[in-house]
Amino acid sequence: MASNTRKSPSAANGAASQEAVPDELGFRVVHHSVPRKDGPQKVTGRATYTADVHIPRMTYAKVLRSELAHARIVSIDTSAALQRPGVVAVVTGQDLMSLNMRNYGHAVKDHPVLAYDKVRYIGEPVAAVVAEDETTAQEALADIVVEYEELSAVITVEEALAEGAPLVHEQGYDQGVSPGHVDVDTSNKRSNVCQENHVRWGDVDAAFARAARVIKGDYTYPMTFAYPMEPYVSIADYTEEGLTMYSAAQHLYMVRNDVAGVFGLPLNRVRMITPFIGGGYGAKSYTKIEPLTAVCSWKARRPVRLQLTVEESILTTRADDSKVHIETAVDENGKLLARRAMIYLNTGAFAENSPLVSSKTAIRIIGPYLYDAVDITSYAIYTNTCPASSYRGFGISQIGLPAEGQMNELAAMLGEDSLQFRLKNLADSGQRFFPKKRPLTADVKGDIIKATEALGWNDPLPPNRGRGLGVLVTDAGAVPVGRSEVRVYGDGSVTVFSGSTEMGQGSMTVLAQIAAEEFGTSMGNVRVMQSDTALVPFARSTGADRTTTLEGRTVLQACVEAKEQIRVMAADIWEAAPEDIVLEPTGVMSEGRRMGWGEVIGKYFDLSDMEVTGRAHIRQKDEFAELPPWWEPAIAAVEVEVNPDTGKVTVHKLVTVADIGLAINPATSEGQDLGSATMGIGVALGEELVYDGQQLSNGSILDYRIPRFSDVPANSHGILVENQDGIGPYGAKGIGDGPTSVICAAVANGIYQATGVWLHDAPFTPERVWRAIREQRAAQAQG
Amino acid sequence: MPMFLPRFTIDQPSTLGEASRLLREYGEDGCVYAGGTELLLAMKKGGLRYGHLVDIKTVPGLDAVAQQDGAVRIGALATHMALERSSLVRSKLPIFAQVEARVANPRVRASGTLGGNLCFGEPHSDPATLLLCLEPTLRVTGADGSREVPLPVFMVGPYEVALEPGELLESVTVPLLGAHQRAAYRKFQLHEYPMLGLALVLDLDQRGAVTTSARVAIGSVSPTPRRSEAAEALLVGERGAVRGRLDEAANALADDADLLDDHEGSAEYKRHLIGVFLKQAFEEATADTSAASGGRGS
Ligand SMILES: Cc1cc2nc3c(=O)[nH]c(=O)nc-3n(C[C@H](O)[C@H](O)[C@H](O)COP(=O)(O)OP(=O)(O)OC[C@H]3O[C@@H](n4cnc5c(N)ncnc54)[C@H](O)[C@@H]3O)c2cc1C
C-alpha cells in the first residue's frame, strides 16, 4: 500500500529502544506500536492454525448437504457408502437419538447437529461420511440416498410473515445458556418470528405530533458473508476420558458449553483448544461445526477432522439482511425529538446469534443522540435460507444506513450542514442519552470535528464528488466477566494465561504489552498462553471488542496481585514489614536494597526456577456494574467520486476516528479501524449474497467479491483519540467493531452531494447508481 | 457446490504428438492441462469430469514468443504474465501487452496461459475480444498434422471451440498494427471476470482525420466475443461524422450481442455501457493521430 497516506505510529519504531525509554505518558511498552508477537510466525508460514493440527489415527469427514430448501426426511440409505473401502462411519440424524441433546444453540436450542426430521435450507448438513482420507469421504457422499417429501418454503421476510406461511419451525425450543440479552422470547410462538425486541421511552406519538418536520424512509441492507480467509475447520477426539477439540472458534468456552450439552459431559471433560484463528469478523463467533465434528468422532471412535470449503462456510453462516422503516422528528429549531423504527432481519433457518443481533439493532439504531422519545421494534425472522449470525458489530451494520443515512437526509431537508446538525443533537461525554444505561463514554462531538477537519469538510468540491459523515455507538464489551493469571518465574520471565483467542486482532501482543509494562521487562521476556479450556482461565468470549479492555484489566490486576505476593516474600527475605517494601518498575526496594521480581522468588523458595502466580477477575459489580462497560463510537468521513457515465462510485478519501481512551498498540488499533472501514466499503459498493429462488446463486469464492488492497482508498487516515477515559487498563477502551456500520451512510451522503440522489438500498452498485441518476433526470425533465 | 477436486491421473508428454496421441487414447475421459486455472476450478465445481489430464507444460518451446515477418507468434503455453512482460510484445503489440496486464489477478496471470484462455471458450475473455480486431491465425495440431484456423471460426460458442479430438492449440500468430492503425481497449469489471470488454482498431488515412476501415468487438456480454459489421460500417468516414454516429454504432454492437440480464447487470445497463466505452475508445484511438506507431490503448 505504497500510496496509502495512513501514517502508522509504528513507522519509525524500533521496538527495543522504545521499550526502554518512557514516553510522554510514562509508558515503556504500552502505548507503543511494538511488533506483533505472532508476526514472525505468521509471515513465515510457521504459525499453527487448526488446519495444521494433525493427531494420530485422524480420519476425515465430509458433509452431505440438503438440495431442498424445505422438506421432510423420509429415509436415508447409507448402506452403499458404508461398503466403500476406506469409509469408517456414516453419521445421520438417526445417530443423534441416543445423545443427551440433538439440538444446540447458545440463544435458542433450535439447531440440530444434523437434520433429523426435516431440512430447512439448501446446504443444511444431512449426513456426514468419516473416512481414512478426504477424497474417499467426498466420493462416498454420492453413495448416500436421501428420500425427501418436499414442503413449501419461505425465502424472504415477506413470505415468512405472510398469512398462512409454512413454518420453518413447528415447535418451540429450550433457551440456550446465554439468552440474557433477550427482551421478548417468542421461540414458542407458532409463527416464523424467531425474536422480537422493543426499545421504548417517552411519548413518541406526542413528540411526532408536535414536530416541526418529520422524515420517513425505507432502507435495505444486503445479505452478506463476513468472509474470514480461513474457512470453518475443527478436529474432535472423543474417548472415554472425554472430548478434546481443536477449532477455529472465537468463543471456545461457549462452544464447550454447547458440545458438553450435546453429550451430557461435565465441563472438565470437554477440552477446547483454539490455535491461531485466520480471521473471524463475526463468522467465527459461537458454535458452528463443532457438534457435528464431535458426533462424527463419537460414532467413528476415531479422531475426526472436518474442514469446510469457503463455499460450505458461506452455507454455514452468513449475516442477516435487513429491511428497515424509520421515521425521525425534529422541532422548529432542528432539535431531534423522536425516532420510530421497524426493523426486520432475515435470520435464515436457525436462530444462531440473531436474537442478540436483532436486539442490538433496536439499541444501536438510536445512536448517541438526545431524543425525548423513541419507539423501536426489531424482529428476527426465520426463513428457509442459510442461517444468519454475528457480523462485525452485531446488528449495527444492518441499521447503519437507515440510522445515519436518514440523519444526513434530515440535515439536507432542513438545509443544515450535516456536521453542524449532528453537533447540535449529539450527547456529550458523560451524558445519559439512553435510559438505564451507562452515560456516554466518548467525546463523539470532538471526534466528528476531528474527522471532518482531516477530510477537508469545507474545501471546495471537485465535480462529481461528494462527502459524507456517519457516527453511531455500540454498547460494547458484552458481559464484564473474566479472569486471567500471570505467572512470574524465578528467572524473571513472565507468562500470561488468557482464555481469549488470537484471531488476527492482536490480543496476544496487547496482553503481553500490559505484562511487560507492569514488570518493567521486555516483550521478548513475556509469553502469552491462550485459548485452551483445560489449562487457561475462563474467557466469556473474544468479541464485542472486550479483550483489551476487560481481559486486559484482569491481566493488569493479576500482575499487581503477583507483585503483592512478591512484596510479602521480599519482606520475609529482608525481615522487613511488607508495607516498607517499595515496588519499583523492575523489582522491589527497601532501605537501598534491591531485588528483581524473579530474584525474590528464587531466594524465597531457595529454588531458582520456582514461580508465583497472580490471579484476578472482574464481574458485573462496582465500576463494572453499569452496562455497557463502555460505548464504542463508529465514526467515518469519506469523499467519494461518482462516475456519471457508469454510475461507479470510488471512495477517494477516508478518515476514521477511534475514540480509544489509550491505544495499547497504536499500529494494531489503526489496523482494526482501517480493516473495519474497508469491510464497510465492500458492502457500500458491491458485496451482496443473492438468492435466486431457493438457491444461493453467488455463494462462492469466485462470485462473491470482497475488497482487496487495491480497493482501499488511496488517501486514508486513521485518528486515535486518547483521552484515557476508558474502563480498561490505563484508561483504554476497546475498538475493532469500528466504522464498518457508518460507511454506507457516509457514502450515500457523498453520492447525494455528487449527484443529487439519495440511495436507500445497499450496495450502491454502478447499475443502481446509474439508474437512480437516470430516474432523477427523467423526473426533472417531466416536472 | 462441493468444490472438491476428484481423483485423476496426470501424464506429462514431451512432444505435441505424444500429447495428441494420449488425448486420442483417453477420448472423453482426457483433457489438456495447461495452467489449470479454469480447468481445475471447473473440475472442483463438478462441471467437468476427467480421469486423465495431459499436462502440456512439459512440452518444450510451447511458450515461445517470437517475431515472424510482420507478426508476433505466441506459443499457446505463454502465460498472461509472460506476455504482459515480454519486451517483444510490449514494443511490437503494446495494446496486447496492456490488455494482458489487466487480465484477472496476479495469481491467475502467473499460471494462466493464452492457449487456455482461448481454448476454454470463456465468453469473458479479454484477449479473445482484442484479438478479434487484430485478426490472428491459430495453429492447431493433431495426430495427423497441423492446420490454420481464423479466430472467429475457432470460437464456436460459449465454452466451445473448434478443436477435433486429439487436437491442440499450438500457437497464435498476431499481425502487427500498421503505422496508420490505432487501437484501444476498454474494460469494465465488478467481480472476478470482466463485465464488458470493448476493443477498437481503426485504420486512418494519411492525415489521421478519416477512418478508412474499422474493427470493433465486444466481449463478456455475448455468448462469445463478437464483432459487428453494422457497427464497423458506421465507424468509417470523417472523424466528426463518425463521432455523430457513435450512439448508433453502439446500438448496432449491442443489437448483435444478444445481451442478457444476469448477475453482472441488466441488458439495458450493458447496452448503455457499450455506448459509454465505444465513445471512450474512439476518442482514445483518434486522440494522438500524429504519432507514428499504432496500437495505443489502455
Ligand atoms: C479468478 C479468475 C479471473 C479471471 N479473470 C479474467 C479476466 O479478467 N479476463 C480474461 O480474459 N480471463 C480471465 N480469466 C480466465 C483466465 O485467463 C484463464 O483462466 C486462463 O488464461 C486459462 O489458462 P490456463 O492455462 O490456466 O488453462 P487451463 O485451465 O489449463 O485450461 C483451460 C481449458 O483449455 C484447454 N486447453 C488449455 N490449453 C490448451 C491447448 N494448448 N490446446 C488445447 N486445449 C487447451 C484445457 O483443456 C481446458 O479445457 C480469469 C480466470 C480466473 C480463474
Side-chain angles (χ1 to χ4, degrees):
Chain A
M1 275 193 303
S3 63
N4 202 312
T5 62
R6 180 172 286 259
K7 287 215 173 42
S8 163
S10 66
N13 195 332
S17 61
Q18 295 249 355
E19 278 176 26
V21 192
D23 66 10
E24 69 284 1
L25 297 176
F27 296 118
R28 290 175 176 79
V29 188
V30 153
H31 199 228
H32 287 75
S33 297
V34 301
R36 293 181 66 112
K37 268 196 115 38
D38 50 350
Q41 307 173 55
K42 285 183 174 171
V43 298
T44 55
R46 285 183 292 110
T48 299
Y49 295 83
T50 301
D52 300 313
V53 174
H54 190 91
I55 42 184
R57 300 182 65 243
M58 189 161 81
T59 57
Y60 300 83
K62 280 278 162 190
V63 178
L64 182 72
R65 294 174 185 278
S66 170
E67 287 172 15
L68 296 175
H70 197 191
R72 210 155 285 293
I73 298 173
V74 177
S75 65
I76 305 181
D77 182 355
T78 61
S79 51
L82 281 164
Q83 303 284 301
R84 187 180 278 266
V87 170
V88 178
V90 180
V91 185
T92 70
Q94 281 305 312
D95 294 303
L96 308 177
M97 301 310 156
S98 59
L99 289 171
N100 186 48
M101 281 191 304
R102 291 180 288 177
N103 283 7
Y104 65 93
H106 67 283
V108 181
K109 289 188 194 287
D110 65 354
H111 207 147
V113 175
L114 269 174
Y116 49 84
D117 54 352
K118 59 178 194 170
V119 289
R120 294 181 172 86
Y121 72 98
I122 292 178
E124 182 177 354
V126 175
V129 173
V130 180
E132 298 290 350
D133 63 274
E134 232 175 356
T135 307
T136 302
Q138 177 72 32
E139 286 170 341
L141 294 181
D143 302 336
I144 299 174
V145 184
V146 186
E147 196 190 327
Y148 294 106
E149 183 188 306
E150 196 165 355
L151 303 167
S152 49
V154 288
I155 301 299
T156 62
V157 164
E158 290 79 1
E159 287 168 14
L161 293 180
E163 192 66 33
L167 292 177
V168 179
H169 295 270
E170 284 96 355
Q171 76 278 36
Y173 300 94
D174 292 340
Q175 293 210 334
V177 289
S178 55
H181 40 264
V182 171
D183 291 339
V184 185
D185 176 31
T186 55
S187 57
N188 289 307
K189 211 162 76 179
R190 285 185 58 85
S191 83
N192 285 319
V193 176
C194 165
Q195 170 83 21
E196 177 178 341
N197 315 278
H198 297 283
V199 174
R200 289 183 180 128
W201 70 73
D203 187 339
V204 168
D205 291 339
F208 269 85
R210 72 168 193 276
R213 302 290 289 273
V214 168
I215 186 166
K216 302 180 180 187
D218 293 282
Y219 297 80
T220 57
Y221 178 84
M223 190 182 285
T224 58
F225 178 53
Y227 218 137
M229 267 199 279
E230 175 199 39
Y232 295 115
V233 52
S234 62
I235 296 170
D237 188 10
Y238 194 100
T239 66
E240 277 85 64
E241 289 77 51
L243 172 66
T244 301
M245 288 201 76
Y246 297 82
S247 189
Q250 241 169 286
H251 309 336
L252 62 163
Y253 288 84
M254 290 204 189
V255 176
R256 177 182 65 173
N257 240 322
D258 278 335
V259 242
V262 168
F263 296 102
L265 285 171
L267 293 179
N268 69 347
R269 301 226 342 239
V270 180
R271 180 180 182 189
M272 286 289 312
I273 302 166
T274 299
F276 287 131
I277 303 176
Y281 318 108
K284 302 273 176 65
S285 63
Y286 307 100
T287 306
K288 305 293 175 199
I289 59 171
E290 294 86 359
L292 177 54
T293 316
V295 167
C296 284
S297 174
W298 167 78
K299 172 109 193 257
R301 300 167 176 275
R302 294 272 296 272
V304 174
R305 180 175 100 162
L306 175 58
Q307 160 85 65
L308 303 191
T309 62
V310 169
E311 288 69 20
E312 288 179 295
S313 298
I314 298 174
L315 289 173
T316 302
T317 35
R318 58 172 176 93
D320 297 78
D321 45 313
S322 72
K323 288 195 188 320
V324 176
H325 176 78
I326 180 166
E327 305 180 356
T328 308
V330 285
D331 69 12
E332 57 285 349
N333 301 316
K335 279 281 209 182
L336 291 171
L337 289 174
R339 175 166 268 190
R340 263 202 284 250
M342 293 287 278
I343 303 163
Y344 294 91
L345 300 184
N346 177 353
T347 287
F350 302 109
E352 278 268 344
N353 198 38
S354 289
L356 178 56
V357 170
S358 68
S359 76
K360 292 299 187 191
T361 59
I363 294 171
R364 294 174 178 179
I365 199 167
I366 295 163
Y369 296 96
L370 299 166
Y371 289 102
D372 292 350
V374 305
D375 183 356
I376 315 289
T377 299
S378 69
Y379 294 101
I381 306 294
Y382 284 128
T383 61
N384 293 111
T385 63
C386 165
S389 191
S390 323
Y391 184 83
R392 197 171 197 148
F394 290 11
I396 194 168
S397 286
Q398 285 86 348
I399 55 78
L401 180 58
E404 280 294 280
Q406 183 160 79
M407 207 56 85
N408 289 328
E409 288 176 50
L410 185 52
M413 188 174 99
L414 299 172
E416 294 189 34
D417 174 83
S418 64
L419 169 67
Q420 299 306 327
F421 177 68
R422 285 187 169 87
L423 291 175
K424 190 161 69 184
N425 284 295
L426 284 167
D428 285 312
S429 183
Q431 196 168 7
R432 197 184 300 274
F433 67 101
F434 198 119
K436 299 197 195 113
K437 292 203 186 283
R438 188 182 290 261
L440 189 58
T441 59
D443 176 23
V444 290
K445 288 186 187 174
D447 294 343
I448 62 171
I449 291 173
K450 290 190 178 76
T452 47
E453 276 174 2
L455 189 77
W457 190 249
N458 293 316
D459 293 353
L461 270 174
N464 302 317
R465 293 225 182 183
R467 302 191 182 106
L469 172 67
V471 49
L472 286 171
V473 283
T474 57
D475 41 333
V479 181
V481 173
R483 54 179 296 258
S484 295
E485 291 177 5
V486 173
R487 193 177 293 168
V488 188
Y489 297 87
D491 64 357
S493 60
V494 176
T495 299
V496 174
F497 293 87
S498 170
S500 69
T501 46
E502 172 54 69
M503 48 195 300
Q505 88 281 37
S507 63
M508 178 179 273
T509 306
V510 161
L511 298 181
Q513 281 180 269
I514 294 168
E517 184 74 40
E518 286 308 304
F519 289 103
T521 189
S522 66
M523 282 294 282
N525 206 30
V526 179
R527 193 162 186 209
V528 180
M529 302 300 290
Q530 287 178 281
S531 52
D532 177 339
T533 62
L535 301 179
V536 302
F538 177 90
R540 183 190 174 273
S541 56
T542 304
D545 303 345
R546 63 192 301 285
T547 298
T548 300
T549 313
L550 302 179
E551 305 296 335
R553 264 296 287 270
T554 64
V555 168
L556 174 59
Q557 284 169 16
C559 291
V560 170
E561 209 259 331
K563 287 196 272 190
E564 288 305 324
Q565 293 181 43
I566 293 171
R567 180 207 296 272
V568 173
M569 292 175 183
D572 181 275
I573 295 165
W574 282 329
E575 295 178 349
E579 52 277 18
D580 292 337
I581 306 290
V582 178
L583 301 182
E584 295 199 315
T586 58
V588 291
M589 193 272 285
S590 173
E591 295 172 4
R593 297 168 295 185
R594 287 196 156 74
M595 280 190 285
W597 310 113
E599 207 182 337
V600 176
I601 297 167
K603 286 220 170 99
Y604 179 83
F605 289 106
D606 197 14
L607 197 59
S608 63
D609 55 353
M610 254 303 268
E611 63 196 31
V612 154
T613 301
R615 295 182 180 82
H617 69 260
I618 54 169
R619 60 192 185 120
Q620 199 185 333
K621 266 281 187 201
D622 307 323
E623 62 181 310
F624 293 102
E626 201 172 27
L627 293 180
W630 76 100
W631 289 98
E632 186 200 328
I635 296 171
V638 298
E639 182 173 316
V640 306
E641 178 172 5
V642 182
N643 182 316
D645 293 327
T646 61
K648 189 173 158 81
V649 177
T650 307
V651 181
H652 285 294
K653 289 190 196 170
L654 165 73
V655 180
T656 63
V657 178
D659 194 320
I660 193 167
L662 185 97
I664 306 287
N665 191 314
T668 56
S669 306
E670 288 200 343
Q672 285 294 310
D673 248 23
L674 179 58
S676 171
T678 307
M679 251 176 112
I681 290 173
V683 178
L685 301 188
E687 269 183 58
E688 179 169 27
L689 285 172
V690 177
Y691 263 86
D692 183 4
Q694 302 183 345
Q695 178 99 39
L696 189 59
S697 68
N698 63 341
S700 84
I701 198 167
L702 266 189
D703 298 320
Y704 188 79
R705 188 186 186 281
I706 53 170
R708 305 177 175 161
F709 274 122
S710 54
D711 297 308
V712 174
N715 185 339
S716 74
H717 182 62
I719 297 173
L720 300 175
V721 175
E722 301 187 278
N723 295 329
Q724 283 195 270
D725 53 355
I727 201 165
Y730 318 108
K733 287 180 285 190
I735 60 149
D737 282 351
T740 310
S741 55
V742 296
I743 299 289
C744 278
V747 168
N749 199 65
I751 294 172
Y752 168 72
Q753 285 193 353
T755 66
V757 297
W758 288 113
L759 293 177
H760 285 195
D761 304 315
F764 312 135
T765 59
E767 180 164 354
R768 277 190 189 161
V769 175
W770 169 74
R771 280 187 187 283
I773 298 171
R774 201 179 55 154
E775 277 161 26
Q776 187 210 37
R777 289 203 186 131
Q780 279 170 352
Q782 277 193 352
Chain B
M1 193 165 80
M3 291 304 277
F4 195 85
L5 211 47
R7 289 174 210 268
F8 54 84
T9 67
I10 296 183
D11 288 278
Q12 300 200 308
S14 50
T15 64
L16 268 189
E18 197 187 338
S20 174
R21 191 183 51 74
L22 284 164
L23 286 170
R24 293 272 284 258
E25 189 184 313
Y26 293 134
E28 300 270 273
D29 200 29
C31 182
V32 177
Y33 168 35
T37 58
E38 294 283 19
L39 178 65
L40 298 182
L41 255 183
M43 287 175 71
K44 273 189 190 172
K45 284 193 207 159
L48 293 178
R49 275 189 168 275
Y50 297 106
H52 305 277
L53 302 190
V54 179
D55 182 1
I56 54 172
K57 291 190 289 296
T58 44
V59 177
L62 209 52
D63 60 351
V65 181
Q67 189 161 4
Q68 204 180 53
D69 26 77
V72 174
R73 185 177 178 276
I74 300 169
L77 211 54
T79 63
H80 298 295
M81 203 168 267
L83 292 168
E84 155 194 359
R85 294 182 178 174
S86 154
S87 51
L88 182 63
V89 177
R90 287 164 75 130
S91 64
K92 299 293 174 191
L93 276 172
I95 182 81
F96 194 66
Q98 285 154 17
V99 168
E100 286 291 359
R102 292 185 56 211
V103 165
N105 54 52
R107 187 220 159 302
V108 169
R109 282 203 297 281
S111 38
T113 63
L114 179 62
N117 183 295
L118 297 178
C119 294
F120 196 59
E122 166 61 72
H124 298 81
S125 168
D126 290 308
T129 306
L130 175 64
L131 287 172
L132 274 179
C133 293
L134 299 178
E135 304 188 328
T137 311
L138 278 58
R139 186 179 170 87
V140 166
T141 299
D144 312 324
S146 301
R147 60 190 178 106
E148 311 255 281
V149 189
L151 183 57
V153 175
F154 188 75
M155 296 193 303
V156 175
Y159 309 104
E160 200 185 339
V161 293
L163 286 174
E164 299 298 326
E167 275 190 335
L168 295 105
L169 178 64
E170 187 177 347
S171 63
V172 181
T173 301
V174 189
L176 302 185
L177 288 173
H180 298 289
Q181 288 184 304
R182 296 288 181 276
Y185 191 79
R186 279 283 178 277
K187 167 172 176 167
F188 191 64
Q189 184 160 348
L190 301 177
H191 301 108
E192 290 297 336
Y193 288 83
M195 171 178 177
L196 172 67
L198 187 146
L200 179 67
V201 173
L202 300 179
D203 293 11
L204 302 177
D205 72 344
Q206 292 291 345
R207 290 178 304 116
V210 176
T211 314
T212 56
S213 146
R215 292 171 236 159
V216 62
I218 47 171
S220 297
V221 290
S222 40
T224 65
R226 275 187 191 170
R227 280 170 60 175
S228 158
E229 278 178 32
E232 289 175 359
L234 289 162
L235 295 174
V236 172
E238 189 273 324
R239 187 187 301 178
V242 171
R243 198 173 270 144
R245 290 195 297 265
L246 287 175
D247 279 334
E248 209 185 327
N251 269 324
L253 259 176
D255 288 342
D256 284 346
D258 297 327
L259 302 176
L260 290 176
D261 296 336
D262 59 23
H263 79 283
E264 293 284 354
S266 67
E268 190 187 14
Y269 183 55
K270 291 174 189 169
R271 179 176 289 269
H272 166 75
L273 288 180
I274 291 170
V276 170
F277 292 116
L278 179 62
K279 280 178 205 154
Q280 288 182 8
F282 182 78
E283 292 310 325
E284 184 188 314
T286 55
D288 183 16
T289 47
S290 58
S293 77
R296 288 169 37 84
S298 77

